[in-house]
Amino acid sequence: MAEKEKSNKGSMTVAEAGRKGGETVRDERGREFYEEIGKKGGETVKAERGREFYEEIGKKGGETVKAERGASFYEEIGKKGGEAVKAERGAPFYEEIGKKGGQKVRELIEEGKRAARVPAPKGETEGGHD
């Protein structure tokens, strides 16, 4: 309702005035200004509500997009993103990150094997002391 109301000084709606003001600020201060204040706002919300808040709203948003566009939408944008990265960084980039991922998996497997070989001290269980 407020958006449709006209101001006394002209025929501009509240939405038009807000858009014009935002464009003026962008032109005067640059896009980086909005990036900076957005980052600060995000950090404040994270401090107040925790990381879980972003996880929750991200999941809800993803479910909404999936319901509206279908799971194939994610396949399509993932493929486009992969092609863009390949064009920008080249195929060797994927080889490099694949090797790093394989090394990490190997390390985790070895760590798990070592932990399985070492018996827990007497009187201790997985949950701590008896």
Side-chain angles (χ1 to χ4, degrees), residues 100 102-112 114:
K100 287 181 180 179
Q103 289 171 349
K104 183 66 176 176
V105 169
R106 203 169 20 259
E107 290 170 8
L108 291 170
I109 290 170
E110 285 302 315
E111 188 178 304
R114 280 193 300 275

Side-chain angles (χ1 to χ4, degrees), residues 2 40 43-44 49 52 61 108 119:
K40 286 180 181 178
E43 290 170 353
T44 300
R49 298 187 178 202
E52 298 78 21
L108 291 170

Side-chain angles (χ1 to χ4, degrees), residues 55-99:
E55 292 173 0
E56 182 182 327
I57 63 172
K59 187 175 182 180
K60 286 180 182 177
E63 290 169 355
T64 301
V65 171
K66 183 178 176 184
E68 290 175 356
R69 298 183 176 217
S72 61
F73 172 74
Y74 288 106
E75 294 172 14
E76 183 181 320
I77 63 172
K79 186 174 183 180
K80 284 181 181 179
E83 289 170 355
V85 170
K86 183 178 177 185
E88 186 178 311
R89 298 187 174 199
F93 171 74
Y94 287 104
E95 294 172 13
E96 180 183 331
I97 64 173
K99 286 178 184 175

Side-chain angles (χ1 to χ4, degrees), residues 15-43:
E16 290 167 336
R19 188 171 14 266
K20 187 175 180 184
E23 290 169 354
T24 300
V25 171
R26 180 200 62 211
D27 293 344
E28 290 175 358
R29 297 190 177 202
R31 180 179 171 191
E32 297 79 19
F33 171 74
Y34 285 109
E35 292 173 0
E36 183 181 325
I37 64 173
K39 187 174 183 179
K40 286 180 181 178
E43 290 170 353

